[in-house]
Amino acid sequence: MRTDGPDSTFRSTPPADFGQLLDHLAVVDSLHRFQARLDAKDWPGLRSAMTEDARAYFVEGADAVLAVVRSHLDVCGPTQHLMGNVQVQLDGDTARTRSYFRAFHVGAGTNEGAVYECLGDYDDSWTRTDTGWALTSRVIAVRAETGDRAVITPR
């Protein structure tokens, strides 16, 4: 997890043709679906949205990434991961996105009534697969947080 600010030098790749425009849109859609799967706690769907060797949240391997995500989201109630300012760099069958996020988490169980919210940036890498674009890596930079972190603390 980084705590530095957003990379102001990151720029989207302007689509050179219709195919690149479709790729750009497909990558952004893959990012949005990834976040929606987090909020739906759709663990099989989230797992299928990553490559086998995906790296994120300080671990490597899709199963390990999924385990870390679940350790934080299975202990809380509803969540909402809002995305914005998405930039896409395309390079053939690979892509990189930079996006802002705002993640809201509602407490459950012993944390009922508490909330935790954070905002920051995702720096994600993607690869084209037979089933679409899959996440290969995620680096998260949390720039601010408020509320009770116990809401998402693994038990």
Side-chain angles (χ1 to χ4, degrees):
M1 184 177 316
R2 294 187 338 240
T3 56
D4 57 329
D7 179 1
S8 63
T9 64
F10 190 93
R11 297 284 181 264
S12 287
T13 305
D17 56 36
F18 188 67
Q20 283 189 351
L21 178 61
L22 291 177
D23 283 344
H24 180 103
L25 293 171
V27 169
V28 171
D29 185 59
S30 295
L31 172 64
H32 290 162
R33 281 186 291 117
F34 193 92
Q35 300 306 105
R37 288 171 173 152
L38 287 172
D39 293 331
K41 297 183 181 179
D42 174 5
W43 306 136
L46 189 67
R47 172 64 175 78
S48 71
M50 296 181 269
T51 60
E52 287 297 321
D53 61 348
R55 293 179 326 274
Y57 309 108
F58 307 105
V59 297
E60 186 169 340
D63 290 332
V65 171
L66 184 60
V68 168
V69 169
R70 290 194 68 172
S71 75
H72 293 283
L73 297 186
D74 279 346
V75 299
C76 70
T79 64
Q80 187 175 59
H81 292 74
L82 298 176
M83 306 299 299
N85 298 9
V86 179
Q87 295 178 300
V88 180
Q89 289 180 345
L90 293 167
D91 186 12
D93 289 336
T94 63
R96 187 171 162 213
T97 56
R98 288 290 308 242
S99 55
Y100 289 176
F101 74 86
R102 187 166 188 164
F104 186 79
H105 308 81
V106 175
T110 59
N111 291 313
E112 190 171 337
V115 296
Y116 170 74
E117 185 172 19
C118 59
L119 57 93
D121 312 292
Y122 288 126
D123 184 343
D124 296 330
S125 294
W126 305 85
T127 193
R128 186 191 319 266
T129 69
D130 292 340
T131 57
W133 291 88
L135 185 80
T136 59
S137 73
R138 166 165 281 182
V139 177
I140 182 174
V142 174
R143 294 190 283 131
E145 48 189 330
T146 187
D148 186 352
R149 189 179 264 240
V151 166
I152 62 165
T153 300
R155 296 188 182 111

